[in-house]
Amino acid sequence: MKKFFLLIFISFSLLSLPKTVEAEQKGIGVYPPIIKITASAPSDISVPISVKNMEDKPIEATISIRPFKIDQSGAINYILYKDYTREVSALIETVVLQEENQNVSKLVFSPNGIKNLKLKIDIGKDQKEKDIYFSVLFLVTNQDSSENTRSLLSIGTATNVLLAIGENTLPSYQDRFSSSVLTSEGNLKFKITLANTGKHFMSIKPQLIIKNVFGKEIEILNLKEENILLGQTKELSNTNPDNLVISGKKYYFGPYIAILSLNTAGQETISNKSITIFVLPGSTIWLLSAGTIIILLIIQRIRVKRRKKN
């Protein structure tokens, strides 16, 4: 049966999937760093990849195709050959890189040279609906020698391929969006967690809008696009170590409304959630807290006295 192309969605933007190999300033570079594909079986897929020699001398790179999975911390773990499933083995065997329509497993670069390749994937008609993730690794072995030592150093980089085989559907997920109801003056802090409960990886573009009580927009935070793999949970942040989304502006006395909007890579809004935050001066919060504690203590003492009387 003649195979046909059904649906491919490819993203060439640099997104948040963890890198497998750290590319140095000198060495080799690859574009795009992430390829996202959604296709139905059977399909013949062809994706362009550019690889550049960052050195001022000739180098040779070896190509390796390695399937991977993500652990709970978000780190990439390559799957050992002995642990390949039948579906993974069948697909990985069809993955090839071509240069001028010829399959290649090794590349020879001139100084600062560029190779324009094609990633070819042949999805058979018997492939079941599932996600398969793999890296296309480009490894360079440099020989470093001096009068007293001689060593081999492997450097390189990779493009990560997220392949979803099956119908392209809207993401299915669970989300958590929270913040302190009462907070002191300053930057607002939010906890945002997304868990992928669907059948395939999902790409989400979150946006956080903060308004005052009159509905006027005070600040819009466009968060980076997130790739969340099947079964993965991710805490969103905007470049801070506490996995929090922190406003760029400082907020003072008054109520504010924060709206979390989740959009697909195609800019389709799939969810809107809002919470209300009351910003009070620090001394006011302290007085409210102290007053609450005193009231609770008084209530407790009244209860104790009533029990003694009874």
Side-chain angles (χ1 to χ4, degrees):
M1 177 181 178
K2 186 178 179 181
K3 298 177 183 178
F4 57 93
F5 170 87
L6 291 183
L7 173 65
I8 298 179
F9 174 71
I10 304 169
S11 172
F12 287 169
S13 59
L14 178 59
L15 304 177
S16 58
L17 192 71
K19 292 185 176 63
T20 57
V21 182
E22 290 294 332
E24 300 181 1
Q25 186 176 5
K26 294 290 186 179
I28 195 169
V30 60
Y31 183 85
I34 293 178
I35 298 172
K36 297 185 294 180
I37 304 171
T38 298
S40 298
S43 294
D44 289 322
I45 298 168
S46 180
V47 182
I49 297 177
S50 294
V51 188
K52 182 177 181 179
N53 175 15
M54 311 297 288
E55 300 276 359
D56 296 325
K57 60 183 179 181
I59 61 171
E60 190 174 282
T62 301
I63 300 170
S64 178
I65 310 295
R66 298 287 304 276
F68 66 82
K69 56 185 178 181
I70 298 289
D71 63 21
Q72 288 301 316
S73 67
I76 282 180
N77 291 321
Y78 286 116
I79 302 173
L80 299 176
Y81 181 76
K82 65 182 182 65
D83 296 324
Y84 285 12
T85 63
R86 181 179 299 178
E87 291 86 358
V88 170
S89 295
L91 182 85
I92 293 299
E93 288 175 359
T94 73
V95 178
V96 297
L97 258 74
Q98 292 186 346
E99 182 182 16
E100 296 180 352
N101 297 322
Q102 297 295 318
N103 293 356
V104 290
S105 59
K106 188 176 290 186
L107 300 172
V108 178
F109 291 87
S110 59
N112 299 304
I114 297 176
K115 297 285 187 179
N116 293 314
L117 311 174
K118 285 184 179 179
L119 173 68
K120 306 282 286 187
I121 306 172
D122 184 6
I123 300 176
K125 64 180 181 179
D126 296 325
Q127 271 286 355
K128 297 179 180 179
E129 182 174 8
K130 69 175 300 161
D131 277 17
I132 297 176
Y133 313 129
F134 61 91
S135 296
V136 181
L137 293 156
F138 301 90
L139 299 174
V140 180
T141 300
N142 282 354
Q143 189 168 15
D144 182 24
S145 61
S146 62
E147 293 181 359
N148 301 319
T149 63
R150 182 178 294 272
S151 63
L152 293 176
L153 175 65
S154 292
I155 59 175
T157 190
T159 181
N160 294 311
V161 180
L162 310 182
L163 173 60
I165 302 173
E167 185 180 356
N168 186 26
T169 59
L170 286 176
S172 177
Y173 62 92
Q174 292 179 348
D175 61 349
R176 181 188 173 197
F177 176 42
S178 62
S179 183
S180 300
V181 177
L182 292 178
T183 187
S184 57
E185 298 168 335
N187 300 91
L188 302 183
K189 298 179 180 181
F190 303 91
K191 189 80 171 179
I192 304 174
T193 304
L194 295 177
N196 185 351
T197 59
K199 296 181 178 180
H200 302 293
F201 73 86
M202 64 181 191
S203 297
I204 297 293
K205 288 185 175 181
Q207 184 184 67
L208 187 61
I209 302 172
I210 303 174
K211 299 181 178 182
N212 63 18
V213 70
F214 303 107
K216 181 181 178 181
E217 290 184 357
I218 307 299
E219 184 176 6
I220 298 178
L221 297 172
N222 290 306
L223 306 179
K224 64 182 179 180
E225 184 173 323
E226 297 284 353
N227 292 313
I228 306 176
L229 306 190
L230 182 62
Q232 186 183 18
T233 298
K234 183 171 288 190
E235 293 182 333
L236 308 188
S237 68
N238 52 350
T239 64
N240 70 84
D242 299 321
N243 288 329
L244 295 172
V245 175
I246 301 177
S247 67
K249 295 183 177 181
K250 292 186 177 181
Y251 290 80
Y252 300 94
F253 182 79
Y256 296 91
I257 300 172
I259 303 169
L260 175 65
S261 177
L262 300 178
N263 308 292
T264 65
Q267 297 299 324
E268 182 177 358
T269 301
I270 56 176
S271 176
N272 278 313
K273 274 192 172 182
S274 64
I275 55 177
T276 301
I277 303 167
F278 294 91
V279 179
L280 301 173
S283 58
T284 303
I285 290 182
W286 184 88
L287 290 172
L288 286 173
S289 300
T292 302
I293 294 172
I294 292 171
I295 291 171
L296 290 175
L297 290 173
I298 292 172
I299 293 173
Q300 182 65 22
R301 291 190 66 180
I302 292 172
R303 286 177 178 175
V304 171
K305 287 182 178 180
R306 285 181 178 176
R307 287 174 187 170
K308 287 181 179 180
K309 288 180 179 180
N310 295 333

